[in-house]
Amino acid sequence: MSAIVARLRAAGCVFAEDEARLLVAHAATADDLARLVARRVDGEPLEYVLGWAEFYGLRIAIDPGVFVPRHRTEFLVGQALAVTQPDAVVVDLCCGSGALGAAVQASIPSVRIHAADIDPVAVACARRNVPAAAVYCGDLYDALPGRLRGRIDVLLANVPYVPTGEIDLMPAEAREHEARVALDGGTDGLAVLARVAAGAADWLAPGGSLFVETSRAQAPTGQAIFAAGRLRARIVEDDDGANVLIASR
């Protein structure tokens, strides 16, 4: 164990002891452990090496290339759960691994979960975490069945919001391993958010709510974008700096 910790620490892993314990627990044999450690030392995200990420108390299956859910996004899930009723229609748009939808369904099992992503690799991964038949591949609302139009009670959209010019400034684990389509939010980081806002009023049920994560700097502009899309929006922020725009018809 000490040798593994030393290798991980030398590779720049801040939580080397915790990672070493996870790798040892995950490995089936000594040779398997050696391969796992080598992948991590080479810079591959721990979640890809393990095949799962911890999110909202769940183990979410993660495949290489799929966006790894961040713990700050648990704040968005908590905000959504505060208004989600049993049997609600919940859509996880830009779903990646489907972590947000899975977290909502784990907390309220009776909800009817749907999820969509433009990346086929992410869609295949999401089908391991939420009901496979309700995960669709396509561009935003175009991926969803027409029967959901005007019937979505809770719309979760963890859209990519990193400005294109700032992607090269991200940690190597993200910029070198996660799909660019899951990170790139356009010139100002708000391009995908604007497209989600433009269609939300047509897809939300009366009284339905939309939840989108954004940065503190982007939140006021995002709020104005929602207003232009016939939505009432407010900004909420937690103590750790996570920002969520909550909009409703």
Side-chain angles (χ1 to χ4, degrees):
M1 177 68 77
S2 60
I4 293 172
V5 170
R7 287 189 65 193
L8 294 174
R9 188 176 290 119
C13 299
V14 177
F15 302 105
E17 292 84 358
D18 294 336
E19 292 193 12
R21 282 192 289 270
L22 288 169
L23 292 169
V24 169
H26 185 71
T29 66
D31 288 344
D32 187 29
L33 177 60
R35 286 190 293 270
L36 296 177
V37 172
R39 289 172 62 187
R40 183 64 182 125
V41 167
D42 285 343
E44 191 171 352
L46 178 68
E47 293 81 4
Y48 294 168
V49 176
L50 296 175
W52 57 269
E54 192 278 327
F55 182 79
Y56 217 81
L58 304 174
R59 281 194 176 187
I60 301 295
I62 296 290
D63 295 325
V66 177
F67 183 81
V68 176
R70 283 28 170 188
H71 286 296
R72 64 172 176 269
T73 309
E74 294 176 347
F75 178 62
L76 184 155
V77 172
Q79 294 296 310
L81 285 172
V83 303
T84 302
Q85 301 296 315
D87 301 316
V89 175
V90 178
V91 171
D92 185 355
L93 207 58
C94 303
C95 69
S97 65
L100 277 65
V104 170
Q105 189 161 55
S107 298
I108 309 176
S110 65
V111 299
R112 289 165 285 175
I113 289 287
H114 301 266
D117 200 285
I118 197 170
D119 181 3
V121 176
V123 169
C125 182
R127 286 174 175 158
R128 299 168 59 198
N129 295 308
V130 294
V135 184
Y136 319 102
C137 189
D139 187 13
L140 299 180
Y141 302 108
D142 290 345
L144 300 178
R147 58 187 168 82
L148 294 181
R149 185 183 295 270
R151 296 184 56 204
I152 299 173
D153 299 304
V154 176
L155 179 57
L156 312 170
N158 190 21
V159 302
Y161 60 89
V162 180
T164 303
E166 296 181 16
I167 290 178
D168 288 343
L169 305 177
M170 296 183 70
E173 288 186 11
R175 70 173 187 269
E176 295 179 2
H177 294 276
E178 293 177 326
R180 190 178 181 95
V181 71
L183 305 173
D184 194 341
T187 302
D188 61 357
L190 295 170
V192 183
L193 181 148
R195 295 180 58 217
V196 170
D202 293 331
W203 286 86
L204 287 172
S209 297
L210 165 63
F211 298 81
V212 178
E213 183 177 283
T214 187
S215 71
R216 178 182 295 176
Q218 293 168 332
T221 304
Q223 188 175 27
I225 290 172
F226 282 143
R230 298 176 290 147
L231 302 168
R232 294 188 302 271
R234 59 190 177 93
I235 304 167
V236 293
E237 182 178 0
D238 74 354
D239 294 337
D240 295 324
N243 284 262
V244 173
L245 282 165
I246 304 175
S248 60
R249 285 182 54 180

